Amino acid sequence: MFADNVEKVLISEDEIRERCRELGAQISADYEGKDPIIVGLLKGSVPFMAELIKNITVECEIDFMAVSSYSGVESMGDVRIVKDLDRSIRGLDVLVVEDIVDTGKTLQKVKELLYSKGANDVKIVSLLDKPDRRIVDIEAEYVGFTIPNEFVIGFGLDFNQKYRNLPYVGVLKEECYKK
Ligand code: IMP
């Protein structure tokens, strides 16, 4: 069983469900009358996005975007769009859904990109936040859980593209990194 590779469960399915209810209520209050577009970053945001939007009660659209980070010669990684949005976001309030804010580089670039496409406002909701690892000055407006500096998997988060389907957030056994 691949779940046997999990060292410990950090955040349970119930805790995630409950936190999504709270975040959904907060977002619904903040976006009252605003008609936002909710943009999930593929692939890590998918389970979180699905759980979160059930709890958002304002009229909204959803869309997805996929970006891939690659580091060139410079130490600052860059971000390339792999799948773009289906529609124009000019003048719209955008809420980006992400699995985790780590160094912050991805979200900083995505934010810049969305503003360059004419968004009126860009805010971020992230399931997880690992503030100890931050390199660039960016914070998500809405955070599910702040976690210590550990590599986590599950509920969308992967290790080599696997484990995204675990229904909780866990820590992978060290031996799995060394295989
Ligand atoms: P950032 O640009 O460094 O903030 O990276 C964000 C991306 O790195 C996330 O969307 C994840 O795909 C990946 N990432 C960062 N930390 C973890 C982790 O602990 N587990 C799995 N993926 C992670």
Side-chain angles (χ1 to χ4, degrees):
M1 263 282 284
F2 87 129
D4 293 341
N5 294 336
V6 178
E7 177 76 45
K8 63 176 176 198
V9 175
L10 204 63
I11 308 163
S12 73
E13 199 174 353
D14 283 349
E15 287 174 302
I16 296 172
R17 205 176 297 123
E18 179 50 32
R19 189 70 186 114
C20 285
R21 267 192 219 114
E22 293 170 1
L23 285 173
Q26 199 185 340
I27 290 166
S28 302
D30 293 353
Y31 282 87
E32 186 63 53
K34 282 194 174 157
D35 209 349
I37 180 158
I38 303 178
V39 173
L41 295 189
L42 296 172
K43 305 168 188 156
S45 71
V46 169
F48 176 46
M49 174 115 161
E51 189 59 40
L52 181 70
I53 60 172
K54 290 193 279 183
N55 297 288
I56 293 181
T57 54
V58 295
E59 212 166 274
C60 61
E61 285 184 39
I62 67 165
D63 204 344
F64 291 95
M65 201 173 158
V67 295
S68 87
S69 324
Y70 60 93
S71 307
V73 256
E74 305 102 313
S75 58
M76 185 74 181
D78 212 337
V79 162
R80 187 169 52 96
I81 298 182
V82 179
K83 184 224 170 281
D84 208 344
L85 297 169
D86 289 344
R87 58 157 295 175
S88 160
I89 52 162
R90 184 156 298 282
L92 297 186
D93 293 330
V94 182
L95 179 64
V96 179
V97 184
E98 176 61 310
D99 52 1
I100 187 166
V101 193
D102 188 31
T103 65
K105 287 180 185 178
T106 307
L107 279 171
Q108 190 190 45
K109 291 281 172 186
V110 165
K111 216 169 170 176
E112 275 172 29
L113 227 141
L114 295 173
Y115 275 121
S116 77
K117 285 171 174 284
N120 174 58
D121 178 64
V122 180
K123 287 193 171 45
I124 297 161
V125 54
S126 183
L127 174 65
L128 305 174
D129 186 13
K130 241 195 254 181
D132 295 349
R133 293 252 311 159
R134 200 75 88 256
I135 290 174
V136 297
D137 184 21
I138 191 163
E139 295 303 328
E141 282 77 7
Y142 307 94
V143 170
F145 303 89
T146 300
I147 60 164
N149 187 10
E150 276 184 299
F151 191 83
V152 291
I153 46 155
F155 214 80
L157 290 119
D158 74 301
F159 173 63
N160 285 346
Q161 297 300 325
K162 300 280 169 61
Y163 303 102
R164 294 191 197 274
N165 54 322
L166 289 174
Y168 50 79
V169 174
V171 178
L172 198 60
K173 283 186 181 158
E174 205 175 309
E175 66 215 48
C176 301
Y177 300 102
K178 294 178 179 163
K179 267 181 190 168

